Amino acid sequence: MPRVRHYADIVAILAGLMWILVFWSISVSARLDSIEPTLAALLALGAMILVSFVHRPFRVHLSRYHVRKRRTEMWMHILALPMALTLVLGGLIESLIAPLSGQQKMLLFNVLATAGWVVYVMTLVIKFVHHLLRRRRHRSGGT
């Protein structure tokens, strides 16, 4: 069972990283006034999705409950919470300091989404280390 969870964590981390790259590519595209960075990121994302749907072992692994649960947790960290915080922080910044352009709002979202992904990864690493230490202590006969 822990092996399935470990695999689910890796899948969710990589999926989150891919979406973070897509989010940042949108900011880079807006800054450069060119759609090539976003197209490249979407092409890489599409290739990953295509491989995961076509390759049967990946499809079987990705359909498992633990992978779906971990990806849902990842989405909460990189999309739901950053969007809500961007609305609140963007509104505060606009009312207290100065209006924000679309690029600045996207940059704020990207920073918050990246921070959420890092928190998600650190949480998974801490959980993994905790379970590893607990398993070692249990094997050695400690209380």
Side-chain angles (χ1 to χ4, degrees):
M1 191 69 134
R3 184 178 229 176
V4 173
R5 287 185 185 142
H6 183 65
Y7 178 76
D9 292 343
I10 291 171
V11 168
I13 287 170
L14 292 175
L17 178 62
M18 197 62 214
W19 283 107
I20 292 294
L21 290 174
V22 169
F23 297 158
W24 277 102
S25 72
I26 294 169
S27 286
V28 171
S29 290
R31 177 79 176 139
L32 297 176
D33 198 26
S34 170
I35 63 167
E36 281 87 9
T38 301
L39 290 177
L42 288 174
L43 179 66
L45 179 66
M48 279 183 54
I49 290 170
L50 183 66
V51 166
S52 68
F53 281 126
V54 173
H55 193 258
R56 190 176 189 290
F58 281 168
R59 191 174 61 232
V60 169
H61 282 302
L62 291 175
S63 67
R64 292 190 176 161
Y65 167 74
H66 291 292
V67 174
R68 290 191 315 256
K69 180 182 172 194
R70 295 295 198 257
R71 286 193 304 197
T72 301
E73 291 172 359
M74 179 266 305
W75 277 114
M76 293 300 290
H77 278 83
I78 73 166
L79 191 62
L81 187 58
M83 275 190 155
L85 287 174
T86 301
L87 285 171
V88 171
L89 289 175
L92 284 173
I93 290 171
E94 284 186 339
S95 66
L96 296 175
I97 300 172
L100 295 174
S101 69
Q103 289 180 5
Q104 292 168 330
K105 289 176 185 175
M106 188 64 194
L107 181 63
L108 179 62
F109 170 76
N110 287 342
V111 169
L112 292 173
T114 303
W117 181 77
V118 169
V119 166
Y120 177 70
V121 171
M122 291 178 68
T123 302
L124 292 179
V125 168
I126 290 169
K127 281 178 165 178
F128 176 72
V129 169
H130 174 71
H131 288 295
L132 188 68
L133 292 174
R134 200 171 88 201
R135 222 179 304 144
R136 282 187 183 171
R137 186 175 61 178
H138 182 65
R139 283 184 190 163
S140 67
T143 54

